[in-house]
């Protein structure tokens, strides 16, 4: 079937193209042990732009996308955040992005395989029509459809289930690892049994949390930590002025969080300011800025305290540390960019009740498809870009 859509290719001049593209109904399985199923034809309604899209475009310009292409093709239809209409089932759905011949495609092992719609070996949402495994079309909550159309503000929120689910996974991992990392200290400190100590260590890992960077992922994880750990102390660190709309919104969502603007002349001064603001070295340091400054602030300038956990969620930066203090201060480094289906389903419910639609701005579809590369460079991912950009791909399904 030939449809209109955007797709990535290995081309130094035109790594992203809009035009005719052929889609095929490839049989896929959601999990190992399940049957291979043909996809069901869907119509994308609204699609969000993710930093991964921008990275894939750069990979295409450097001709490094070959392993990402669906089998038998030399291109990848992008888009992995959004909501679709399922004609055969007369409903809207959120696409569960990751699947494969694995027990958990977000934690696959060496002898397992996975795919990601719009990212890796499976075409995504930036097309007029697309096939998706029927088991991977998640339901939306009741009450947001009127006369067969979606409420526009709800639809904006539904570009976030993928990254929000990632943050639910991050929260779970930080709780698990923080508990396992420090429960023996808690047993001695509180003279308690192991079960009680694990519960205390799970809470105390969030005692002094630094979130370095304030994109949507940083905002989401700060929000989730404070929702689930009322005694946590959370400090956002970023370059935006404190009175900027982005910072104001983040502090409204993550109730109780504090903010420190990075306007210092040196990393040493910034590190000192963070420690003073937190009234001590961090128990948890979350890097989401995408810069190499993260690890230097945490390790070289000693913002991360003894027995502290470092959560690396940035794509791109390299982490280095001096092995002597690293070992003696008993640091733990973790990193995982994953989620499970239950995280995605929970994210949909939480987002439906949120105000995250307020940070989504729309780009006109005609503007985008007229010059996709220009839209990426000059609007969607420019320095003046909004926190999140999305496009209404099929306006007949949206009440604007």
């Amino acid at each position: 079937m030939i449809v209109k859509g955007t797709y990535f290719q290995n081309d130094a001049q035109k790594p992203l193209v809009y035009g005719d593209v052929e889609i095929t109904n490839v049989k896929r399985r959601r999990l190992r042990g399940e049957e291979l199923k043909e996809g069901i034809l869907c119509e994308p309604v609204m699609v969000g732009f993710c930093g991964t899209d921008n990275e894939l475009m750069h990979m295409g310009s450097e001709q490094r996308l070959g392993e990402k292409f669906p089998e038998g093709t030399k291109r990848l239809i992008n888009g992995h955040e959004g909501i679709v209409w399922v004609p055969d089932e007369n409903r809207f759905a959120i696409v569960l992005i990751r699947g494969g011949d694995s027990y958990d495609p977000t934690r696959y092992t060496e002898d397992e395989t996975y795919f990601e719609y719009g990212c890796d070996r499976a075409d995504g949402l930036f097309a007029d029509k697309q096939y998706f495994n029927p088991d991977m079309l998640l339901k939306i909550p009741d009450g947001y459809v009127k006369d067969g159309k979606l409420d526009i503000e709800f639809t904006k929120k539904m570009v976030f289930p993928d990254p929000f689910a990632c943050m639910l996974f991050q929260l779970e991992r930080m709780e698990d690892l923080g508990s396992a990392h420090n429960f023996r200290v808690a047993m001695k400190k509180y003279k308690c049994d192991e079960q009680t100590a694990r519960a205390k260590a799970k809470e105390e890992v969030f005692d002094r949390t630094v979130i370095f960077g304030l994109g949507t992922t940083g905002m989401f994880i700060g929000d989730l930590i404070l929702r689930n750990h009322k005694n946590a102390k959370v400090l956002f660190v970023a370059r935006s002025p404190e009175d900027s709309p982005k910072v104001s919104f983040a502090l409204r969502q993550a109730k109780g969080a504090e903010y420190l603007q990075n306007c210092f002349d040196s990393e040493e001064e910034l590190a000192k300011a963070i420690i003073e603001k937190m009234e001590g070295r961090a128990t948890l340091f979350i890097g989401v800025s995408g810069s190499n400054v993260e690890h230097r602030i945490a390790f070289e300038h000693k913002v991360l305290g003894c027995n502290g956990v470092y959560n690396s969620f940035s794509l791109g930066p390299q982490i280095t540390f001096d092995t002597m203090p690293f070992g003696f201060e008993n640091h733990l480094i973790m990193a995982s960019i994953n989620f499970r289906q239950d995280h995605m389903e929970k994210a949909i419910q939480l987002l439906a009740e949120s105000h995250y639609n307020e940070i989504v701005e729309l780009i006109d579809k005609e503007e985008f498809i007229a010059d996709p590369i220009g839209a990426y460079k000059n609007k969607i991912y420019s320095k003046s870009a909004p926190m999140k950009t999305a496009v209404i791909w099929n306006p007949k399904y949206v009440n604007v």
Side-chain angles (χ1 to χ4, degrees):
M1 178 184 292
I2 303 296
V3 298
K4 293 286 189 181
T6 63
Y7 56 91
F8 293 122
Q9 59 184 1
N10 281 328
D11 190 301
Q13 303 303 318
K14 295 183 177 180
L16 177 61
V17 176
Y18 174 79
D20 289 339
V21 60
E22 184 176 5
I23 61 171
T24 56
N25 195 349
V26 179
K27 287 186 176 181
R28 303 187 188 279
R29 57 168 51 93
R30 178 180 56 176
L31 295 171
R32 176 165 284 197
E34 296 183 355
E35 65 176 296
L36 284 166
K37 290 187 177 181
E38 288 191 348
I40 186 170
L41 196 62
C42 300
E43 298 176 28
V45 177
M46 180 183 283
V47 191
F49 298 90
C50 172
T52 301
D53 297 315
N54 199 35
E55 179 62 25
L56 290 171
M57 186 179 74
H58 289 308
M59 289 176 67
S61 68
E62 297 168 356
Q63 302 185 43
R64 297 188 291 113
L65 273 180
E67 293 184 358
K68 300 287 187 182
F69 296 148
E71 187 176 355
T73 74
K74 293 184 178 180
R75 89 293 174 276
L76 172 70
I77 298 173
N78 60 309
H80 60 278
E81 298 179 348
I83 193 164
V84 301
W85 170 250
V86 190
D88 287 355
E89 298 179 358
N90 196 37
R91 70 180 179 97
F92 294 98
I94 303 295
V95 181
L96 177 65
I97 297 303
R98 295 174 176 90
D101 189 15
S102 47
Y103 294 112
D104 180 349
T106 68
R107 303 286 294 279
Y108 65 94
T109 59
E110 294 82 359
D111 64 338
E112 297 178 330
T113 61
Y114 79 102
F115 66 87
E116 295 180 312
Y117 287 120
C119 295
D120 208 331
R121 289 167 282 196
D123 287 330
L125 281 76
F126 275 113
D128 292 343
K129 295 182 180 181
Q130 190 56 268
Y131 294 102
F132 299 108
N133 182 309
D135 297 331
M136 299 174 69
L137 295 170
L138 306 183
K139 294 181 179 179
I140 67 169
D142 294 333
Y144 296 101
V145 179
K146 184 177 181 181
D147 299 326
K149 294 186 176 184
L150 285 163
D151 170 72
I152 180 63
E153 297 306 324
F154 168 78
T155 310
K156 287 181 180 179
K157 299 172 188 178
M158 292 302 107
V159 300
F160 288 125
D162 181 293
F164 203 86
C166 278
M167 293 304 102
L168 284 164
F169 181 82
Q170 292 291 308
L171 178 67
E172 180 182 272
R173 290 272 287 162
M174 289 185 291
E175 290 172 340
D176 290 349
L177 293 176
S179 174
H181 186 50
N182 287 322
F183 79 91
R184 294 190 183 280
V185 176
M187 286 177 69
K188 298 290 187 180
K189 180 179 178 181
Y190 298 107
K191 297 180 173 57
C192 60
D193 60 81
E194 181 176 327
Q195 183 177 358
T196 301
R198 285 183 179 273
K200 287 184 175 295
K202 175 180 173 180
E203 290 294 325
E204 290 181 351
V205 72
F206 301 104
D207 277 357
R208 293 182 299 279
T209 301
V210 173
I211 300 175
F212 200 88
L214 192 55
T216 52
T217 51
M219 190 179 293
F220 291 159
I221 196 58
D223 182 358
L224 286 170
I225 288 171
L226 288 164
R227 286 186 194 216
N228 291 275
H229 299 276
K230 302 303 182 185
N231 295 321
K233 187 170 185 177
V234 172
L235 177 67
F236 292 113
V237 180
R239 292 189 176 277
S240 300
E242 190 163 357
D243 60 354
S244 69
K246 178 169 74 172
V247 174
S248 298
F249 182 83
L251 295 179
R252 288 202 310 273
Q253 295 304 117
K255 294 180 175 60
E258 297 182 72
Y259 181 73
L260 178 67
Q261 182 184 2
N262 179 10
C263 55
F264 298 90
D265 293 330
S266 68
E267 293 177 4
E268 291 86 354
E269 291 176 283
L270 172 59
K272 181 180 178 182
I274 293 172
I275 294 171
E276 288 179 354
K277 188 85 170 177
M278 294 294 287
E279 298 180 329
R281 293 169 71 190
T283 54
L284 175 64
F285 189 104
I286 305 172
V288 289
S289 73
S291 72
N292 282 311
V293 176
E294 296 172 352
H295 73 94
R296 294 197 296 269
I297 293 295
F299 297 116
E300 291 181 26
H301 303 296
K302 295 187 177 296
V303 166
L304 185 63
C306 292
N307 305 308
V309 176
Y310 183 97
N311 183 350
S312 173
F313 196 77
S314 291
L315 290 176
Q318 295 184 355
I319 298 174
T320 60
F321 51 85
D322 185 336
T323 55
M324 182 71 79
F326 175 79
F328 279 95
E329 293 193 348
N330 197 36
H331 289 148
L332 171 66
I333 296 176
M334 59 166 284
S336 49
I337 302 175
N338 294 308
F339 61 82
R340 297 187 307 272
Q341 181 172 333
D342 61 312
H343 291 137
M344 191 81 159
E345 291 166 337
K346 185 175 181 180
I348 292 168
Q349 293 291 336
L350 291 173
L351 286 164
E353 300 166 1
S354 77
H355 296 280
Y356 282 110
N357 55 299
E358 296 177 18
I359 60 172
V360 179
E361 294 188 18
L362 300 177
I363 184 172
D364 181 75
K365 181 183 176 182
E366 295 305 315
E367 177 187 356
F368 171 58
I369 65 177
D371 182 10
I373 295 176
Y376 270 45
K377 291 181 176 179
N378 302 321
K379 191 165 186 177
I380 301 168
Y381 300 109
S382 68
K383 288 186 177 181
S384 60
M387 288 200 70
K388 189 71 172 182
T389 304
V391 59
I392 298 177
W393 199 261
N394 201 327
K396 73 179 183 180
Y397 294 120
V398 182
N399 278 315
V400 179

